[in-house]
Amino acid sequence: MGSCIICGKSVEGRICDLHEEDALFEFRGSRADQLSVDRYYRGSVDGFAEFGVFVDIGDSVTGLLHRSELDQRLDSLDWDSGDTVYVQVKNVRDNGNVDLGWSIRQSEREFRGVLVDDPDIGHSVLLENEDDEDEVQSDDGSGEVESESTADESTSQDDDSGTSQSESESSTSAGAVSRASDDDRVEGTAAVGGNDSGSNTAVMTESDEEADAESDEQTDEATAAEPVAAAIGDLDDHVGADVRLEGEVVGIRQTSGPTVFELQDETGTVDCAAFVEAGVRAYPEVEEDDYVRLSGEVRERRGELQVETEELDVLEAEEREEVEQRLADALDDEARPDTVEPLADDTAVGALSEDLVEAATQIRKAVLTDRPVIVRHANTADGYLAGSALERATLPLVTEQHRRADAKYHYFDRRPIEGGVYDMDDATKDTTTMLDNRERHEEKLPLFVFVAAGGTRESLDGFDLLNVYGAPSVVIDDIDVDGAVVDTVDAVVSASADTVSETTSTALAANVAAHVNEDVRGDLGHLPAVSFWEDIPEPYVEAASEAGYDETAVSELREAVALEAHYQSYEDKRELITDLVFGDDEEDVGGLAGHIAEQFREKVDEEVSTARANLDHRTVGDVDIAVLDTDAFTHQYEFPPESLLLDELHRDVRDESDAVLGISTDTMYVRANGDLDLHELVSEVSERVPEGGVATRSVREGTIRYLAGERPAVLDATLDVLANEL
């Protein structure tokens, strides 16, 4: 039997139940179920969430101090990670979660004593009171208490030990300081002392001293040895040893103690702590994206490996290039998917297998390296369907890569582009946003994926601006992408000149998506069929049927997406399109698409009927060209947009007219039967009307721009050139 350290009452342990709440416990266990409910423990702040603060109790257990337990607003706390706090264990759940309560005593001096709660060896007690501040009592588990004076007598009588009391105290003190100093260098906590009063008294058991002695011996041996060249992925085999690492610094954070460098090589990532003095930046010359060689000791802290940095050098010239290339090759290997079967038997897609893999590799690599992916697509049904296919494939990978619940909004975005041209206006907005995110949130520059957009020379100025800052880009387009664009971007998936009319951007993008994430392949089968306005290839009809979409469902979905594409032209909201295209949140998917498609058909039929009644048929030679004044006979800025209206009108009258021209104040839309090179058409018209300022606006939309004052001359020249071409 022993005595309560507070009241002297005979007890089995070190303190009676009545006074246990007056004592503070230092936890040295390894599992949550070893904690005692209602006891007060010393902890350290580990992190913050909307619902509370995570507190580490000891080295192996973390609990949650819910915001409802605090006496002030969570956002008004002045705590930093690593700060010491005092909490009460309220509950230990079956799943290992620990509920913590707030202690109004936030200083060690406010407790009557400190117990070391070690489930393996019992309790050691450090008494803190005015009468006997330095008296240490130790419990070996038998219930007998040995005072310091008794221990002193025992030590002095032991001639065989060869160690005096002063030497023992010195050794013990040095061991305590050494261990605390190690903790300080890694965690930013106080080097010595276990309380707010600044007392340098340490609580140590005999097992602690032996462990410290053994640790010191191992450290000396490790220090004497040369660092071993190692890969981060193999550090489990080098705990306690000095290693030499080479890699890229992908993150730097300054704590209240050490500077922590996040180092990445081809096998993984590890935190490397470098200490000068508390809160002072170590190696200030090292910056993110530097390639370095680092030496230090591998340690395990709270179940995770970290390296205590002894030496850190920035690599230059050939050494940097060698490491950079090694990491790049390894990342490419990890990101590169296997070639997968096309979604359907499509000759246009089958000829692009290597291009599909390369585009998918760029997207997968962006996700693996925490680079946001921005999909820029035309604001058409084809553009939206293609962008949705890539979104469907990429979002699960983003979720796997990041723990944040909102990661899918930070690391993936889909933005429509008017006319399928990436002009300076779009590029300037994107560049401003990405630079702001880099400055404010330390975000990497994103990967831009252009779908059903960016394939013509009209987008070169926009691409050049992105390239100034080194933002990577990919183009996926169903046109024969301009050679100048191919040379400017990092990867291209493009239909060849002889297969342009046989495929869509959605068919290409959906097959890229299947390479990005084969797990979503089953969600993509119907998309290519939906993207064809007419003459759907039979393999895609069959694929849609297998996915549960008959001819009517395919048509309704296409029209519904086209209507929503117009209303979301400037800021896409992914949820509605996702519901339409994949039916994630709708039991009656057909009902939603059918309802919107009905609105589409009513609006389009009315506009086409009005436009057809006001066509001005011009005959040039044997060629009939129908001309529509879009300023006079369309509802501008309303649905349907002029581009979609001209498509529908051309399909309606092509049996009687060879071409349709829609002409407004300064813009002309060209629709023709058969192939037409718009750049050549514009070049010839420009020669005939040199003062007209004639230029191609968008090849995808078939639009030409000119000066309003030259409209009559431009129209006459266009009719002549178009008749010759046809």
Side-chain angles (χ1 to χ4, degrees):
M1 293 290 290
S3 300
C4 172
I5 63 172
I6 305 295
C7 64
K9 178 182 176 181
S10 296
V11 291
E12 285 286 340
R14 304 307 322 124
I15 193 167
C16 68
D17 293 340
L18 181 63
H19 291 104
E20 187 167 283
E21 67 179 13
D22 293 323
L24 176 67
F25 288 83
E26 179 180 318
F27 184 62
R28 293 189 180 177
S30 58
R31 303 191 314 271
D33 60 6
Q34 294 173 328
L35 291 165
S36 295
V37 175
D38 293 333
R39 282 182 176 174
Y40 290 89
Y41 288 90
R42 179 194 295 121
S44 62
V45 175
D46 181 65
F48 300 85
E50 291 183 359
F51 43 81
V53 183
F54 291 104
V55 176
D56 290 337
I57 304 175
D59 291 338
S60 305
V61 176
T62 300
L64 173 65
L65 180 61
H66 195 272
R67 62 186 179 187
S68 61
E69 294 286 341
L70 298 170
D71 62 354
Q72 57 185 301
R73 289 174 55 87
L74 187 62
D75 55 10
S76 66
L77 292 174
D78 59 351
W79 294 347
D80 292 323
S81 293
D83 283 358
T84 298
V85 293
Y86 302 90
V87 293
Q88 183 183 34
V89 173
K90 305 291 289 266
N91 184 33
V92 179
R93 301 176 186 267
D94 293 339
N95 61 3
N97 289 347
V98 180
D99 299 332
L100 302 176
W102 173 249
S103 170
I104 62 173
R105 291 174 288 190
Q106 285 300 306
S107 169
E108 198 166 293
R109 291 181 60 85
E110 297 175 28
F111 293 88
R112 294 289 297 273
V114 180
L115 287 172
V116 176
D117 187 351
D118 191 329
D120 294 328
I121 64 172
H123 300 142
S124 294
V125 182
L126 169 61
L127 282 180
E128 297 278 2
N129 56 52
E130 295 179 357
D131 297 329
D132 196 2
E133 180 174 341
D134 296 326
E135 181 181 2
V136 176
Q137 296 180 328
S138 177
D139 178 9
D140 61 4
S142 65
E144 294 296 324
V145 179
E146 183 179 16
S147 68
E148 274 194 358
S149 59
T150 304
D152 291 346
E153 293 174 5
S154 174
T155 303
S156 63
Q157 293 171 2
D158 188 357
D159 295 335
D160 295 334
S161 68
T163 305
S164 68
Q165 175 190 355
S166 60
E167 290 172 337
S168 175
E169 289 176 346
S170 174
S171 173
T172 300
S173 177
V177 171
S178 174
R179 184 173 67 254
S181 178
D182 289 340
D183 290 345
D184 176 55
R185 295 169 68 179
V186 179
E187 300 298 336
T189 57
V192 294
N195 56 69
D196 293 341
S197 67
S199 169
N200 290 337
T201 306
V203 182
M204 298 189 64
T205 65
E206 183 177 350
S207 298
D208 291 334
E209 296 182 32
E210 293 174 354
D212 277 358
E214 183 178 351
S215 175
D216 290 342
E217 183 178 347
Q218 292 174 348
T219 301
D220 291 341
E221 292 175 357
T223 302
E226 284 294 321
V228 178
I232 292 174
D234 298 329
L235 291 184
D236 281 328
D237 300 329
H238 298 282
V239 176
D242 282 350
V243 296
R244 183 175 65 252
L245 307 174
E246 291 181 339
E248 180 184 7
V249 177
V250 296
I252 303 173
R253 63 183 186 273
Q254 182 62 54
T255 72
S256 57
T259 305
V260 180
F261 297 94
E262 187 177 0
L263 186 67
Q264 183 179 76
D265 71 2
E266 63 270 33
T267 64
T269 305
V270 68
D271 282 348
C272 304
F275 187 81
V276 179
E277 59 180 276
V280 176
R281 172 74 145 84
Y283 301 101
E285 72 279 7
V286 177
E287 299 178 352
E288 285 190 27
D289 300 326
D290 278 346
Y291 286 80
V292 302
R293 180 177 295 116
L294 182 148
S295 299
E297 182 184 351
V298 182
R299 297 190 176 187
E300 186 172 356
R301 297 289 300 177
R302 295 174 182 157
E304 295 186 2
L305 295 180
Q306 59 186 14
V307 177
E308 184 179 344
T309 305
E310 298 293 341
E311 187 175 355
L312 180 60
D313 297 311
V314 177
L315 299 178
E316 304 288 351
E318 294 181 0
E319 288 186 318
R320 175 192 169 99
E321 291 177 6
E322 180 182 348
V323 175
E324 188 174 7
Q325 188 61 51
R326 188 175 76 229
L327 268 62
D329 292 343
L331 179 60
D332 281 343
D333 290 342
E334 183 181 3
R336 185 170 297 276
D338 296 328
T339 302
V340 301
E341 289 294 321
L343 295 175
D345 185 13
D346 183 343
T347 55
V349 171
L352 300 173
S353 58
E354 292 184 7
D355 295 338
L356 297 173
V357 169
E358 181 58 33
T361 299
Q362 293 291 331
I363 295 172
R364 289 166 57 88
K365 184 161 60 175
V367 175
L368 290 172
T369 56
D370 302 335
R371 187 186 297 277
V373 177
I374 308 297
V375 175
R376 293 292 250 144
H377 59 80
N379 61 336
T380 61
D382 189 25
Y384 266 83
L385 291 164
S388 296
L390 296 176
E391 180 179 80
R392 192 69 167 185
T394 309
L395 286 184
L397 303 184
V398 170
T399 302
E400 290 176 11
Q401 183 73 8
H402 302 278
R403 296 180 180 179
R404 292 175 54 179
D406 59 350
K408 62 183 181 180
Y409 297 103
H410 287 279
Y411 292 94
F412 186 93
D413 196 9
R414 183 160 53 77
R415 306 170 188 166
I417 300 176
E418 185 177 0
V421 174
Y422 191 62
D423 58 21
M424 280 298 291
D425 184 38
D426 296 311
T428 300
K429 291 177 182 177
D430 284 345
T431 302
T432 301
T433 300
M434 76 180 186
L435 294 178
D436 183 58
N437 288 340
R438 183 175 69 175
E439 180 68 22
R440 295 173 59 190
H441 309 297
E442 298 183 349
E443 246 182 36
K444 292 186 177 180
L445 298 182
L447 166 70
F448 288 92
V449 183
F450 297 90
V451 188
T456 64
R457 66 192 69 167
E458 288 76 29
S459 297
L460 286 174
D461 288 344
F463 290 144
D464 286 342
L465 181 58
L466 293 183
N467 289 337
V468 167
Y469 292 96
S473 54
V474 173
V475 171
I476 303 172
D477 209 335
D478 62 351
I479 66 173
D480 186 12
V481 171
D482 195 293
V485 173
V486 175
D487 295 338
T488 302
V489 300
D490 295 274
V492 171
V493 177
S494 166
S496 60
D498 56 349
T499 62
V500 166
S501 61
E502 301 174 8
T503 191
T504 63
S505 294
T506 300
L508 300 178
N511 280 279
V512 172
H515 284 76
V516 171
N517 185 357
E518 196 171 3
D519 291 344
V520 302
R521 180 187 180 92
D523 298 339
L524 308 173
H526 65 295
L527 298 186
V530 176
S531 65
F532 286 87
W533 282 94
E534 56 184 354
D535 300 329
I536 307 173
E538 189 59 32
Y540 286 129
V541 173
E542 295 176 0
S545 179
E546 291 176 3
Y549 291 80
D550 60 17
E551 183 179 351
T552 299
V554 166
S555 177
E556 288 180 344
L557 181 54
R558 178 192 310 117
E559 293 173 352
V561 172
L563 181 67
E564 293 305 327
H566 171 74
Y567 289 117
Q568 295 192 11
S569 293
Y570 299 103
E571 185 178 0
D572 174 57
K573 300 297 183 184
R574 66 175 60 156
E575 290 79 10
L576 177 56
I577 296 296
T578 299
D579 285 350
L580 276 174
V581 176
F582 302 108
D584 283 353
D585 298 315
E586 290 288 336
E587 294 182 4
D588 185 8
V589 179
L592 176 63
H595 173 71
I596 299 176
E598 185 176 350
Q599 298 178 44
F600 171 94
R601 187 47 55 194
E602 289 177 358
K603 294 175 181 294
V604 169
D605 287 349
E606 180 181 354
E607 289 291 308
V608 169
S609 177
T610 300
R612 184 182 178 99
N614 290 281
L615 285 175
D616 177 16
H617 289 270
R618 305 283 188 95
T619 301
V620 183
D622 295 331
V623 177
D624 181 87
I625 301 175
V627 179
L628 176 68
D629 186 334
T630 56
D631 283 338
F633 300 110
T634 65
H635 292 97
Q636 296 183 26
Y637 311 114
E638 295 183 11
F639 187 84
E642 291 171 334
S643 178
L644 192 151
L645 172 62
L646 268 295
D647 287 339
E648 288 284 320
L649 183 61
H650 176 238
R651 283 191 284 267
D652 191 57
V653 303
R654 63 187 171 191
D655 290 339
E656 56 196 76
S657 297
D658 298 291
V660 174
L661 292 183
I663 186 165
S664 65
T665 302
D666 61 357
T667 303
M668 184 184 303
Y669 294 83
V670 182
R671 301 290 186 270
N673 300 342
D675 296 332
L676 180 68
D677 189 324
L678 195 66
H679 286 124
E680 288 187 8
L681 174 69
V682 168
S683 178
E684 290 192 38
V685 172
S686 181
E687 288 182 8
R688 297 191 183 198
V689 190
E691 305 299 324
V694 183
T696 306
R697 167 68 180 101
S698 170
V699 170
R700 293 193 61 86
E701 285 194 334
T703 53
I704 302 171
R705 286 283 176 83
Y706 48 83
L707 297 177
E710 296 292 334
R711 169 176 163 167
V714 171
L715 175 58
D716 290 341
T718 302
L719 290 171
D720 287 341
V721 173
L722 187 57
N724 291 334
E725 290 287 332
L726 296 177

